[in-house]
Amino acid sequence: MSQTTDNKRPLEVAQGVYQIELPTPFSVGPVNVYLIMGSELTLVDVGPYTPAAWDALVSGLELLGCQLGDVRQVVLTHHHVDHCGLLKKVKAASGALSFAHPLAVPYVEMDQTFMEHHNQFFYHLYRESGVPQKMMAVIEKFYQLMQTFCQPAGIDGLLKHDRPLPGLPEWQVLYTPGHSQSHLSLYRSSDQVLIGGDHILKRISSNAFIEPPRDPSQARALTLVQYRTALQMCADMDIELVLPGHGELVTNHRELISARLQRNWERTGVLRRLLQDGQKTAYELSALLFPDLYEKELALTLSETVGHIDLLTILHQVEREQRDGILYYSL
Ligand SMILES: [Zn+2]
């Protein structure tokens, strides 16, 4: 009990919205979860399944004069473990209902059939991208990460774009895919506040992770194209304040979005230059784009590379040729 005196009371970052910072073991640093004091006490995101995040969550609530038992509902911005890992534990301690986008469900529940499809999808994508066989083991890492930092949990209600948030009708659900296929943001028009998850971050440019389609017979989403569109949607909105999933509050969302879109464009320029001396695979391009990272962070760098190739492909600025199941790109 006495340890709570060492901690700072979570800040009220918007009217009735409190930011609780939780540690994560990931390079992104701490994650911000938000407590909305409204007709239904609502927690937006819960942090990773680690003892340190749990302790910080419990003590953050205590400092606000609440307990987990008071939380009536949990909303997930997306299914990544730094945001959803503690859901099962929070639900067990509070009896709260959980809400998320439908595409978060197979991840949060850790549906075995979906996880197998997930691995097959990446095996095919990596093979076609020219990833060497010895590096395919990285595919299994995703599930291992899920198992370590997330306990499978149930989702009680599904959220869709443009609907009011259950229990808190002043908040509107926005579907903001790209960083994740399940990504939601919450918008309160009365004071133009957006709880933005990892959609808009101040210091980090969010990766538009490639994900398998929910239905294996469908093609994958072009996640970077999607991300850019969802960013543009927010740039077209009046937003006074973004409450982000990581790092500092954002008060200049249009400037930030414009910089992100510009940076994508610069990167397509780099890819085009890299293709000037002949055709290359996505893996070869990722090694040239991210020489220090591509081996250590294959999933991230390949997503980033394939995403930018997608941009160039839909604009007919690159061509591709398939040989032995591997795609080669050229100008
Ligand atoms: Zn995150």
Side-chain angles (χ1 to χ4, degrees):
M1 281 291 124
S2 61
Q3 77 186 67
T4 56
T5 53
D6 299 328
N7 297 333
K8 280 196 306 231
R9 185 181 147 92
L11 284 179
E12 184 177 19
V13 285
Q15 198 195 353
V17 184
Y18 295 82
Q19 184 187 65
I20 307 175
E21 193 183 272
L22 309 179
T24 82
F26 310 116
S27 55
V28 70
V31 63
N32 299 322
V33 305
Y34 295 93
L35 187 73
I36 308 178
M37 305 257 192
S39 40
E40 296 285 343
L41 194 66
T42 302
L43 193 57
V44 181
D45 289 339
V46 289
Y49 174 59
T50 66
W54 174 257
D55 290 348
L57 178 62
V58 170
S59 75
L61 290 170
E62 271 176 15
L63 288 161
L64 291 170
C66 319
Q67 294 177 341
L68 269 171
D70 303 326
V71 175
R72 302 313 314 142
Q73 52 186 22
V74 176
V75 178
L76 298 179
T77 59
H78 60 299
H79 68 257
H80 292 167
V81 289
D82 50 335
H83 299 260
C84 76
L86 278 172
L87 181 63
K88 185 179 181 188
K89 223 173 152 177
V90 167
K91 285 187 71 166
S94 63
L97 293 175
S98 55
F99 294 91
H101 187 270
L103 292 175
V105 175
Y107 291 96
V108 178
E109 291 183 348
M110 288 192 215
D111 180 311
Q112 283 303 318
T113 312
F114 180 75
M115 287 301 161
E116 278 163 33
H117 157 54
H118 184 277
N119 287 356
Q120 279 165 14
F121 167 85
F122 277 104
Y123 188 83
H124 179 76
L125 179 80
Y126 285 13
R127 159 112 184 84
E128 140 191 300
S129 299
V131 173
Q133 190 63 34
K134 64 176 181 356
M135 292 183 79
M136 292 291 186
V138 81
I139 293 169
E140 305 283 334
K141 269 197 188 162
F142 177 81
Y143 192 41
Q144 287 160 9
L145 192 83
M146 292 278 302
Q147 285 178 311
T148 309
F149 296 108
C150 183
Q151 285 186 301
I155 299 294
D156 302 304
L158 302 178
L159 298 178
K160 294 223 174 132
H161 183 72
D162 212 21
R163 303 277 175 78
L165 191 62
L168 293 174
E170 64 275 28
W171 290 90
Q172 174 195 7
V173 175
L174 298 179
Y175 183 42
T176 47
H179 174 63
S180 145
Q181 291 301 296
S182 65
H183 201 291
L184 298 172
S185 302
L186 303 174
Y187 182 64
R188 186 167 65 185
S189 60
S190 58
D191 55 356
Q192 300 177 344
V193 170
L194 183 86
I195 299 180
D198 289 358
H199 186 53
I200 300 172
L201 301 175
K202 190 164 193 166
R203 308 250 173 235
I204 309 158
S205 116
S206 288
N207 196 272
F209 282 105
I210 306 273
E211 282 180 38
R214 182 72 183 91
D215 174 352
S217 70
Q218 301 285 307
R220 69 173 169 87
L222 303 180
T223 51
L224 185 58
V225 179
Q226 214 179 22
Y227 182 50
R228 288 169 57 85
T229 307
L231 280 178
Q232 193 63 60
M233 177 181 79
C234 290
D236 291 344
M237 290 171 59
D238 290 322
I239 299 172
E240 278 289 314
L241 178 67
V242 180
L243 309 180
H246 303 277
E248 300 148 64
L249 307 184
V250 174
T251 51
N252 60 338
H253 78 295
R254 288 202 177 101
E255 208 179 303
L256 203 60
I257 288 170
S258 159
R260 298 279 181 269
L261 297 177
Q262 173 81 29
R263 192 151 173 270
N264 288 155
W265 208 237
E266 285 164 11
R267 192 157 274 166
T268 60
V270 177
L271 279 180
R272 285 175 54 84
R273 282 198 293 283
L274 291 172
L275 288 172
Q276 270 167 0
D277 62 350
Q279 58 175 206
K280 293 180 179 63
T281 66
Y283 176 72
E284 287 166 341
L285 287 167
S286 76
L288 292 165
L289 263 182
F290 306 101
D292 303 328
L293 269 183
Y294 79 101
E295 283 180 311
K296 216 168 49 182
E297 297 280 1
L298 179 68
L300 193 128
T301 54
L302 202 66
S303 260
E304 197 68 8
T305 307
V306 171
H308 286 81
I309 293 172
D310 287 343
L311 281 186
L312 288 169
T313 304
I314 58 170
L315 293 168
H316 296 271
Q317 293 189 9
V318 291
E319 289 182 359
R320 64 184 210 187
E321 186 189 339
Q322 191 172 29
R323 289 199 310 272
D324 299 330
I326 297 175
L327 295 173
Y328 296 85
Y329 298 92
S330 59
L331 289 178

